[in-house]
């Protein structure tokens, strides 16, 4: 059976929605950020600072390759930038259905703010707001490649999970 893969910008709720989905489906939950952290033996901010972003992107691909080796269904939350590398797409699709969570720039800023744990969103608040808009615009096409998009503004993780499960059922039944 296929896994369910969640992609989407930072702060769109991938981790919280993945917890709900794993609970509802009784599937294991994995997170590519956690697996990258475990593999590097240090938090993401330190990987970026000490090894650079390109190294982190390589790690993400390595983690996806490892995950693709197993066929058991899992809920897989991913880091917001996993959609950027072309080489990751065949791996994401091999893993299963790819659902993209979305949120508006203001909502994303409200949720994550300026955040030293997320190196791409570190800095002064107004600078970070601008960076969120810029990155969202740069990545729009990459996120659009997912099998479906799920808005999260004003919804709880449980509601978003419900929408994803309904979509999945529809696909299974050929709707
Ligand atoms: C990133 C998103 C982060 C993490 C890293 C880079 C990105 O994951 O992988 O800081 O490029 O969007 P979350 O989306 O879980 O915050």
């Amino acid at each position: 059976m296929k896994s369910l893969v969640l992609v989407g910008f930072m702060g769109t709720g991938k981790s919280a929605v993945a917890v709900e989905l794993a609970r509802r489906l009784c599937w294991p939950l994995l997170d590519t950020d956690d697996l990258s952290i475990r593999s590097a033996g240090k938090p993401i901010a330190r990987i970026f600072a000490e090894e650079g972003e390109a190294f982190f992107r390589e790690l993400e691909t390595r983690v996806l390759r490892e995950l693709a080796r197993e066929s058991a269904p899992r809920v897989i939350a991913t880091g917001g930038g996993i959609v950027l590398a072309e080489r990751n797409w065949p791996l994401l699709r091999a893993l299963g259905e790819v659902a993209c969570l979305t949120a508006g720039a203001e909502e994303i800023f409200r949720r994550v703010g300026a955040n030293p744990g997320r190196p791409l969103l570190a800095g002064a608040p107004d600078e970070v707001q601008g960076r969120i808009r810029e990155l969202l615009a740069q990545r729009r096409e990459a996120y659009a490649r997912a099998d479906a998009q799920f808005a999260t503004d004003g919804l709880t993780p449980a509601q978003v999970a419900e929408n994803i499960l309904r979509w999945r059922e529809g696909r299974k039944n050929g709707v």
Side-chain angles (χ1 to χ4, degrees):
M1 208 195 293
K2 287 176 165 186
S3 290
L4 196 43
V5 184
L6 297 186
V7 301
F9 199 78
M10 296 170 270
T12 52
K14 299 178 296 279
S15 304
V17 171
V19 168
E20 285 293 330
L21 287 168
R23 193 175 59 79
R24 298 273 301 268
L25 292 163
C26 295
W27 287 0
L29 165 60
L30 289 165
D31 184 310
T32 62
D33 278 347
D34 292 344
L35 295 169
S36 296
I37 290 167
R38 201 182 309 162
S39 160
K42 54 180 120 175
I44 290 174
R46 268 186 59 207
I47 305 175
F48 269 66
E50 293 170 16
E51 259 86 36
E53 181 173 348
F55 178 87
F56 177 73
R57 299 301 175 200
E58 287 293 337
L59 256 185
E60 282 188 309
T61 302
R62 230 185 295 157
V63 162
L64 281 183
R65 285 205 188 104
E66 282 294 319
L67 288 173
R69 261 193 222 143
E70 243 194 74
S71 56
R74 294 146 292 171
V75 177
I76 300 170
T78 62
I82 211 141
V83 296
L84 300 175
E86 190 55 47
R87 62 178 183 260
N88 291 344
W89 276 98
L91 295 164
L92 291 167
R93 297 207 190 281
L95 280 167
E97 290 166 313
V98 184
C100 180
L101 305 193
T102 67
E106 286 82 25
E107 177 71 17
I108 288 171
F109 182 72
R110 241 193 324 274
R111 289 181 190 168
V112 300
N115 189 328
R118 289 183 166 99
L120 297 180
L121 300 185
D126 48 340
E127 213 180 283
V128 169
Q129 269 174 311
R131 186 132 8 98
I132 289 173
R133 278 176 213 291
E134 201 179 298
L135 287 172
L136 274 174
Q138 279 172 18
R139 294 179 176 186
R140 199 176 310 278
E141 282 179 26
Y143 291 129
R145 293 173 72 174
D147 296 316
Q149 310 284 321
F150 295 89
T152 65
D153 293 71
L155 299 181
T156 64
Q159 288 170 321
V160 178
E162 180 61 34
N163 290 341
I164 294 174
L165 291 176
R166 229 178 292 135
W167 163 73
R168 203 176 148 264
E169 279 304 306
R171 270 166 77 94
K172 258 198 345 216
N173 302 327
V175 178

